[in-house]
């Protein structure tokens, strides 16, 4: 059980692996109940199928810009699966999979991705910070949350997740530094998927790994194979345990690959080398984990088919339910500035309502509708 | 202080100790920390040093380093972690050592603290008070004198409060801490120790968004806040002596929310107005005030509203700042110009 | 385009290729890099990807990765290193991928690029052009639609240019690159490909600080810039059809320096004005315009100047942005209100 | 000559030393001409005496807030002495000593410290970026300059200097990252003087050294005894040579101590432990280097006395000359916004001139003056 030691949390040279490409054990597997293992596989499928669905909706004008999740499912699930309900999670738009594992319903995302404000479906009990668009800023929020939980004396920890590109922002480094100085119960994760839109990983840092950043901020840095869900799970479990025990933060780098476009607005053929696509195809995280589960008879082909069909139904229902919902009125935008509208904003809301009425009037006059 | 409050507080004030603005703010912070366990304070040099202006003097000793602590030198880190703490249920009061350094934390303030409610569809809020000394006239190095209210009024989601007296500072700070949304609380450096005023020992709250009529008048309205209130008073006195004009002075106290009713009522009555602030003129609060007056009392307006402000240049070097800042002379001249028929 | 320029360019324009704003900016960048070796360009995804909007398409291939290159994902780093390059004698043109992310680089822009001349007593300057797409209406995620001119006009030392057509974009960009001081060049996202216009192949310069009279009129002046020029035109047309009113439309083109002469002349003539922008109202350019009008042509003013702007709330979610932004309907209503006696 | 190797540039454990506290050699001395060695001692004295003078002027209201330089003279001189004229230097308000070595006349600083804009005395040929007040921002400028020199194909390098506190800012880390990624010909120096105003070094980072930050950004990090002018000199020479050879940036941490107040506005008795003062007194950089020079007969007591007297005269003359100068008019503030005044600023300058005249008028009327 080499991994259980702190030493292991300092590997910065070679990514830690539990399953090789054939799904064979190369290190000790963590102790996970069989149902949980199958659940992890299902979450990976959910992540991929959800992503494909939103991309399809976006093409039909039924969703806004979306960043596909494909290729990163093992990191997504491995990061979130070991966390407790009270633990906080804060990531970027790419962490939809992790958030679903943590308890946010697919429909909550569908609603948001349709371009509307989050609603109560986005369960606060899941302790997931709404996604961050301004790259890396959430890392500081997560460290602040971890500091708060420590001040409050709770046993919750906080996990921040960002991309390789995000590691270049000042806020990422300040987050590592605050976490180190205040020994915050936090785990900070870089999901290194090789790209920040079109900018390759090598342009983000001259260091061989992002995990190596840890030492300069007084914390261990761990490099893990991000397409090996068991390796990510085990690393996160140990880092979380370390944080929970009051031993401070850990930096984790998951090496994975974004096999799709950056977002629905991106054309990766302009910059992704062909070889990459081939190389990473062989490293598909679902294929690897399926082999592991099949080998152990925890799942079989028909079981997986059923699983996939179930997910498809679940997602479709969520889309239908959300699209059937009455949408917020245009002037709902005034609900999110302050808890109570200021007199000025009351007047401005009136101004908008006047326009809404004018448009309605025009419509009636034109006899349309 | 509003007239109603003044009456209520009259008795208390008679026996209240006289405090500087620094002491009044210290007292407010102490009371907030005593009554609400969720209040925590942090920033650069606020712990054992008690802040570079001693505003937080004694608070770390009183409440312990868990609730009052120094941070690494990183303003984005200070505000960014404060945002997280607020979301997690604390009531952080981060300090930015000088308001000009809020530029380093600009994103965490303007796109994060200000957007938590928006981004979460109202599921989360970000109640926090960012304290920061601001203002010129004390010969500081670069970026120590900047007035930043003009910036943050362009990034909605933040409240902005600027007291002009020890009494107001204490009451407004209590309101800011109780507010469910992020508040930027700007403390004028030059006023920190410039005068003392009776300030009740116990907690009291002055609601945000209410301007104070410092002096009633019928011929012209002067709008100011922070250190410019005193400058306006001095100018008004000299003009009054010279011309006998009756000048109304209004201390805005809170920039967001802005007490537009009081502004409009005053100009509707006087028909003439001058607005004074330290910040650059272009797009400053003065511009907004003129726009509000234009929209609501154009037909009462006898003369153009004049803006006496910092000029549209970078804040100058220490020994050249005196005439950059509005002086009583310049404000008096503007008042005289505006009084002319 | 000003009338004088129009006459000069008439011949060329007849045969000029029709370009989108993206193509016009790309052409300007190419010409600047060809004529001046000191010009370098960098930012996120501007190299092999040609920018997320393809504005820099082909430039890395043409000028090599030494002069056109991708950077780490760090806006403060991008602007901070650009400041250094400018001081060292290059002419950097950094790109901020979306103007809202300038918040992350706010300090490097507002206290560094803007202050190099001040801090060095004029020994050093900081000639650079910060390009950034801005503006709403295309259903982007958070912080992709922000208008930032209202912020940077409060931090003196920076020029701010906002073109409203391919022709203007090319000529103004040439002037910005030649300028000895830092210029923020804001490119409206919605207009990037919305229409084509004849744009001469060769280099030409439109001086900064000159507004363009898009349409002359005698009854009311509408001031706008960027995408709001088209909104103003649509609104004016509908009002004209309805009422026959003669409406003047002025495209400001440059926020700093601002062409106050043209503004004042127009309102002195028409006596009525409406100003339109996407940015929040409070302390936005609209406020400044009203203040300028108030100071210079109050006695010509027949009605309050109305501001049709983004509201004073955080920029809303994608599917709720339509009525946040000024629409022709809202602008037309404001024009009608202002025309009323 | 262990130090000449790259390995040496990776020491992050124990500060590199050439002279021990007694001024005895513990590593090989760098090759420096005797006159240059004496010049270095003089620069250290100049640094200390200049600082004392400004503090005195400040007390008399003849200078603005000033951050004393005492205790850090060896770092100041060792950082700048190996640089060539064309090399750039950018530091904080605490780098006055380095800048004087690099070629900025004391009077240029006196002028600035009296609260006036820099003037032509601040020689551009010295290639010194005017001091930075917004902590850490200059590190990015320096990296930008280094990138520019590389693009231009010149052989100049750029040196950025900041404090231990500055290392916590996002900009510091972004500067390291850009330097690494673009292999900029830069040396980035942290002058760790134990304090950021009242905040002790341990609250700036949980890592044992700041030099350890280098590895996470793909560059060597060197820890050096910042009170040993030879050690700093040698480290900087090698790092500069490395940069000049195109081998990329180096991070250098100088361990020293601020023996005075943070600035003339600061009261260090509120937070500095007594033991510290004793401990660092023994490590006075001038004492150590004086012993070295005296031992080698490169200088003697009377020679040093003369040196000190010369410096005193030089500083006093500079102060007198500057105080005798005609000062800029109040409306000179309009000279630094843009190269050419905009029409708006022309009008505002007129407004200020009107006030200047009004004040003059009042003065005449009052009969004062
Ligand atoms: C501060 C900021 N700068 C730029 C962008 C535009 N942008 C969106 S995603 C992205 C790349 C992010 O890369 P990475 O952090 O590796 O995450 P990934 O998309 O690969 O998951 C960029 C540059 C942004 N959203 N925020
Ligand atoms: C961005 C910013 N934040 C805060 C300050 C106020 N301040 C001035 S000096 C200083 C401490 C700097 O410490 P360090 O970097 O170690 O340099 P030293 O003063 O020790 O040389 C602080 C906090 C500032 N000037 N800039
Ligand atoms: Mg990535
Ligand atoms: Mg220090």
């Amino acid at each position: 059980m080499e991994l259980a030691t702190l030493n292991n949390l300092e590997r910065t040279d070679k990514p830690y692996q539990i399953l090789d490409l054939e799904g064979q054990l190369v290190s000790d597997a963590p102790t996970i109940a069989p149902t949980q293992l199958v659940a992890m596989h299902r979450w990976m499928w959910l992540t991929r199928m959800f992503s494909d669905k939103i991309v399809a909706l976006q093409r039909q004008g039924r969703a806004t810009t979306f960043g596909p999740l494909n290729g990163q499912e093992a990191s997504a699930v491995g990061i979130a699966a070991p966390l407790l309900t009270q633990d906080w999670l804060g990531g970027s738009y790419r962490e939809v999979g992790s958030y679903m594992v943590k308890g946010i319903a697919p429909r909550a995302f569908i609603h948001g991705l349709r371009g509307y404000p989050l609603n109560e479906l986005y369960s606060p009990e899941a302790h997931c910070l709404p996604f961050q668009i301004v790259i890396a800023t959430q890392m500081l929020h997560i460290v602040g949350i971890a500091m708060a939980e420590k001040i409050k004396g709770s046993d919750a920890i906080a996990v921040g997740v960002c991309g390789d590109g995000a590691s270049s922002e000042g806020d990422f480094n300040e987050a590592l530094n605050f976490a180190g100085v205040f020994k915050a119960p936090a785990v900070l994760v870089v999901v290194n998927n090789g790209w920040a839109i079109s900018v390759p990983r090598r342009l983000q840092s001259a260091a061989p790994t992002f995990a190596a950043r840890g030492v300069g901020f007084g914390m261990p840095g761990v490099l893990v194979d991000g397409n090996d869900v068991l390796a990510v799970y085990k690393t996160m479990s140990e880092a979380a345990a370390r944080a929970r025990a009051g031993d401070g933060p850990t930096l984790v780098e998951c090496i994975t690959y974004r096999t799709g476009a950056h977002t629905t607005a991106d054309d990766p053929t302009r910059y992704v080398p062909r070889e990459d696509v081939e190389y990473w195809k062989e490293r598909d995280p679902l294929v690897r984990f399926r082999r592991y589960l099949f080998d152990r008879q925890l799942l079989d082909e028909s079981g997986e088919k059923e699983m996939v069909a179930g997910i498809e139904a679940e997602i479709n229902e969520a889309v239908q339910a959300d699209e059937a919902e009455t949408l917020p009125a245009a002037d709902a935008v005034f609900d999110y500035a302050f808890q109570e509208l200021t007199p000025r904003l009351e007047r401005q809301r009136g101004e908008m309502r006047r326009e809404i009425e004018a448009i309605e009037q025009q419509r009636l006059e034109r006899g349309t509708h | 202080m509003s007239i109603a409050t003044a009456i209520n507080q009259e008795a208390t004030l008679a026996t209240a100790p006289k405090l500087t603005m620094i002491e009044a703010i210290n007292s407010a912070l102490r009371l907030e920390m005593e009554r609400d366990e969720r209040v925590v304070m942090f920033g650069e040099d606020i712990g054992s040093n008690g802040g570079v202006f001693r505003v937080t003097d004694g608070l770390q000793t009183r409440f312990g380093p868990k609730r009052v602590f120094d941070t690494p030198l990183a303003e984005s880190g200070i505000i960014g972690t404060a945002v997280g703490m607020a979301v997690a249920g604390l009531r952080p009061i981060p300090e930015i050592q000088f308001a000009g350094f809020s530029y380093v934390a600009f994103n965490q303030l303007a796109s994060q603290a200000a957007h938590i409610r928006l981004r979460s569809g109202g599921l989360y809020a970000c109640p926090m008070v960012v304290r920061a000394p601001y203002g010129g006239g004390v010969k500081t190095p670069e970026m120590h004198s900047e007035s930043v209210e003009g910036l943050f009024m362009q990034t909605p989601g933040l409240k902005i409060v600027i007291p002009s007296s020890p009494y107001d500072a204490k009451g407004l700070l209590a309101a800011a801490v109780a507010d469910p949304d992020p508040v930027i609380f700007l403390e004028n450096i030059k006023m920190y120790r410039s005068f003392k005023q009776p300030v009740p020992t116990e907690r009291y709250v002055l609601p945000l968004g209410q301007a104070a009529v410092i002096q009633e008048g019928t011929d012209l309205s002067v709008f100011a806040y922070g250190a410019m209130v005193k400058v306006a008073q001095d100018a008004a006195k000299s003009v009054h002596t010279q011309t006998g004009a009756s000048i109304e002075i209004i201390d805005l106290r809170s920039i967001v929310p802005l007490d537009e009713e009081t502004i409009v009522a005053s100009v509707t009555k006087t028909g003439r107005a001058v607005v004074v602030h330290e910040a650059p003129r272009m797009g400053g609060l003065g511009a907004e005030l003129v726009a509000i007056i234009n929209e609501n009392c154009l037909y009462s307006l006898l003369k153009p509203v004049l803006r006496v402000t910092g000029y549209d240049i970078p804040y100058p070097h220490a020994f050249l700042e005196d005439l950059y800042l509005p002086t009583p002379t310049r404000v008096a001249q503007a008042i005289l110009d505006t009084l002319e028929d």
Side-chain angles (χ1 to χ4, degrees), chain A residues 2 41 48 65 128 153 182 196 219 238-239 245 250 263 265 272 276 327:
Chain A
E2 188 204 4
H41 195 58
R48 181 167 298 182
T65 313
C128 289
F182 295 109
M219 72 183 74
E238 292 183 14
T250 305
T263 65
V272 171
D276 271 33
L327 291 172

Side-chain angles (χ1 to χ4, degrees), chain B residues 103-249:
Chain B
Y103 290 16
V104 185
F106 195 84
N107 180 62
Q108 284 289 353
L109 288 164
S111 92
Q112 303 302 312
H115 288 192
I116 292 295
R117 194 177 284 284
L118 172 83
R119 185 183 303 145
S120 67
L123 298 171
Y124 294 109
C126 188
M128 69 188 213
V129 179
V130 181
R131 291 184 40 252
Y134 88 99
V138 293
K139 311 233 177 298
T140 57
E142 201 186 334
M143 291 305 298
H144 283 63
S145 301
E146 269 68 13
S147 294
V148 300
E149 70 281 2
L151 292 171
F152 293 110
M153 73 183 177
Q154 262 284 290
T155 59
L158 301 168
K159 297 187 177 175
I160 309 170
V161 177
I162 308 182
S164 72
S165 70
Y167 181 88
D168 279 9
K170 180 165 175 176
L172 291 168
L173 186 48
V177 176
D179 200 272
D181 286 296
V183 179
I184 297 184
F185 193 86
L186 297 172
E187 304 166 2
N188 189 277
I189 296 169
K190 205 177 171 183
M191 298 184 67
Y192 259 154
R193 296 182 222 268
S194 66
F195 71 102
K196 294 194 175 202
Q197 199 185 29
V199 175
T201 309
E202 62 277 18
R203 180 175 186 269
Y204 58 92
V205 178
L206 297 178
L208 307 186
Q210 292 189 3
V213 180
I214 295 288
Q215 162 182 319
E216 291 199 43
T218 51
D219 294 335
L220 183 144
S221 313
V222 183
F223 299 99
Y225 49 94
M228 293 301 104
V229 172
K230 175 74 169 46
V231 171
Q233 284 175 298
D234 290 350
K237 192 185 276 178
S238 108
V239 172
H240 178 75
T241 312
Q242 247 176 282
T243 67
S246 159
I247 296 167
E248 179 145 304
I249 300 177

